[in-house]
Structure formats: C-alpha cells, structure tokens
Amino acid sequence: RRAKPLAPYPERLGRWPGALGLLAFTALELAYVDPASPRALGFAVAIYTYVTLFGMAAFGRDTWTGRGEAFAILFAYLARIAPLHVRDGRIRLRWPLTGLAGPERVPGSLAFIAVMLGSVAFDGYSRTGTWQDLVARAVGPYVVDQPGTADLVETGLKLWGLVSAVALVALAYGAACAIAGAIVNAPRPLQSEFLLSLVPIAFVYEVAHYFSLFLTQGQFAVPLLSDPFGRGWNLLGTAGVVPDLTVVSPNTVWYVQAGALVAGHVAGLAVAHDRAVDLFPSRTDALRSQYAMLALMVLYTVGGLWILSRG
C-alpha cells in the first residue's frame, strides 16, 4: 500500500525549509571552527536524518524532496541544465538549458538560489588575506586565555559573513529585477520570471571553486576503496596508490575558473533573454528589460573573478 501523508504541506512555506537546510550545511562547512570533527559530523548526520524522515512521513516523500530536502532541491535545479530529462517514463533529449525556461513562483526559491550562490562566494572570499586578517584580529584577544570564547567569536563572525553574502546576492538580483520592471512598466514583479537564469551561474561557481579540490582530494578515495576501515586490506588492489597533488597547475586552475565563470554568465543571460522574449510581446521591451540583467551578470562575473584572484 502507498503511504499517505499525515498532513498537507503549507504552500506558503514553499522552499524555505530547503533553503534553511542548505544554509545549515554550508554554515557547518564554512563557519564552524571544526567541521571535520567526528562528533560534529555525527550530530549533523543525525539531525539531518531525523528532519528528512519526519518531513517525508508528515508531508509525503515527493512533497518533502521538492520543498524541504536541500540536496534534492539543489540537484533538481542543476539537472534542469542537462540535455537529458525524463518525460512519460522515458529518458529523452532536449537542448541544454531549455529546462530552465519559464518562471519559478514557488516561495523561497530566491532564498534557496541565493544560498547556492552566496555560500560559494563567501567560501572564496574567506580564503583571502583580508578576511583572514579580520578573523585573526577578532579572535586574537581570546585565543590564549579563553579558547572557547575565541571559537564562538570565530564561528559567529563567519556565520555573519556567510549570511551577508547570501543577502547581497538576493538584494542585487532583486534590485536588477526592480529596475528592469520600472524600465518596461511591467504589470507585476519580475523576480520569479528571471530567477532560473541564476542557476547556470550557481553551477559554474561550484565548478570554479571546487574542481581543483575534487581532482586533488578525490584521489584519496582510490586507496580508501581497498581499505575503507584502515585495517591494512587491499580489496581492489588500489591500497598502494599515492595521490598526485600536482595534477593541475595554478595556471590551469585559473583558466578553468575564468572560463567557467564567463560561460556560466553567458548561459544565464541566454536564459534571461529567452524568458524576456516570451514575457514581453514588444521586442523593444524585451531588449530593454535585459539592461539591468546584463549589469547584474557583469557584476557577478567581475565579483567572482576578483574573489578567485584574491584567494
């Protein structure tokens, strides 16, 4: 028999639970002073499991994975870029990015995508000398005599930086949409109309910031496949593999990062332009509505490149 939800999902919540879940995960990774602690990870896994199972039991599996489960929402957004999709139970081909056509009117969607973008931007900025000097000055008076207080100050400062980065992304997008709406006298707010144009940018931010980490640290999974518990096993014959941490040069990293950011922002502009043509009957209005979006994309591109170069 098919399980029935215990209660209807409040539609006004939209994707806000998912946005809070993703923010909590990024806060553990980027703000907490010891994110690799087994105790902290075990506690986080337990809380995540309880919340996920309770959400699915209360509101239904599909409803919760589409509204409250952060990783399912994240990967669903990224999957809309892909040339493969499922329709009528079959895998079909489509043009890349066409899955991003149309509006996104579910409440909390802007908050979720802002966390996607803002968290990666803060991750890059937190590696700069400017931010690290700020953290050092803030915790300096407490490190020796009050290490617990120093940890709290560092976590609080990083959490403030993370939330500020997310808020800046959302405010910049909201301002661009407000300006676009004023230029063309739009009858309704445009935030939900162009929101999906930010998804390709969020994707390339992930690629730019984490591909080198994946190539270097990902190699450590190869010997662990043969000896996952550290017992001296060699199940697959890969226990002796030594990771090569010089697999990519700094120049290669920079070129991939810059190329990914530029390509992602061009893709975002293409999605926004396609939506504008569909939204405004007048070709002139469709073109004029994109002035503010173009400025936003340039701002995101320059900001992203600056953060990467400083890091």
Side-chain angles (χ1 to χ4, degrees):
R1 295 176 296 175
R2 186 175 180 84
K4 295 182 179 180
L6 300 178
Y9 184 79
E11 287 303 320
R12 67 181 181 278
L13 289 181
R15 293 195 174 97
W16 281 104
L20 291 175
L22 187 62
L23 181 64
F25 172 77
T26 55
L28 174 64
E29 179 192 4
L30 303 177
Y32 186 55
V33 292
D34 191 12
S37 163
R39 183 185 299 273
L41 288 175
F43 183 75
V45 168
I47 293 297
Y48 166 78
T49 302
Y50 298 148
V51 170
T52 300
L53 294 179
F54 175 81
M56 290 180 176
F59 305 116
R61 183 187 62 187
D62 295 337
T63 298
W64 187 250
T65 54
R67 296 291 187 269
E69 210 287 289
F71 299 107
I73 299 171
L74 171 66
F75 294 131
Y77 272 130
L78 299 182
R80 297 176 73 164
I81 302 173
L84 297 174
H85 70 121
V86 176
R87 189 176 67 193
D88 300 328
R90 299 180 60 186
I91 298 177
R92 300 178 183 272
L93 285 171
R94 63 184 177 190
W95 288 104
L97 302 176
T98 53
L100 298 172
E104 182 62 285
R105 297 195 174 99
V106 178
S109 297
L110 173 57
F112 190 93
I113 295 178
V115 174
M116 291 171 63
L117 274 168
S119 59
V120 181
F122 173 72
D123 187 17
Y125 184 70
S126 66
R127 302 173 190 272
T128 65
T130 303
W131 177 260
Q132 291 175 4
D133 290 343
L134 175 63
V135 173
R137 289 195 301 270
V139 304
Y142 310 101
V143 170
V144 177
D145 298 326
Q146 298 173 288
T149 302
D151 289 345
L152 288 175
V153 170
E154 181 177 352
T155 299
L157 183 60
K158 290 181 176 179
L159 185 60
W160 171 82
L162 173 62
V163 173
S164 297
V166 172
L168 284 174
V169 169
L171 289 173
Y173 174 75
C177 289
I179 294 172
I183 291 175
V184 299
N185 294 318
R188 61 179 181 273
L190 299 178
Q191 282 87 346
S192 62
E193 304 296 338
F194 296 112
L195 182 58
L196 293 178
S197 65
L198 300 184
V199 173
I201 302 172
F203 172 66
V204 297
Y205 265 56
E206 300 281 353
V207 172
H209 281 270
Y210 297 120
F211 95 97
S212 59
L213 181 70
F214 173 75
L215 291 179
T216 55
Q217 299 299 314
Q219 298 176 61
F220 287 90
V222 178
L224 289 175
L225 289 173
S226 290
D227 188 17
F229 301 109
R231 299 294 183 87
W233 299 343
N234 192 9
L235 300 177
L236 303 177
T238 62
V241 173
V242 178
D244 179 12
L245 300 183
T246 63
V247 66
V248 289
S249 67
N251 284 343
T252 301
V253 171
W254 171 251
Y255 288 132
V256 171
Q257 290 175 334
L261 284 183
V262 172
H265 287 84
V266 169
L269 275 175
V271 172
H273 174 74
D274 180 74
R275 182 59 187 154
V277 170
D278 186 58
L279 193 62
F280 302 109
S282 168
R283 181 177 180 274
T284 301
D285 285 346
L287 182 63
R288 292 168 62 205
S289 71
Q290 293 305 287
Y291 295 160
M293 298 303 297
L294 175 61
L296 177 69
M297 298 301 180
V298 171
L299 175 64
Y300 282 165
T301 304
V302 174
L305 291 174
W306 179 81
I307 289 173
L308 290 174
S309 65
R310 297 282 293 178

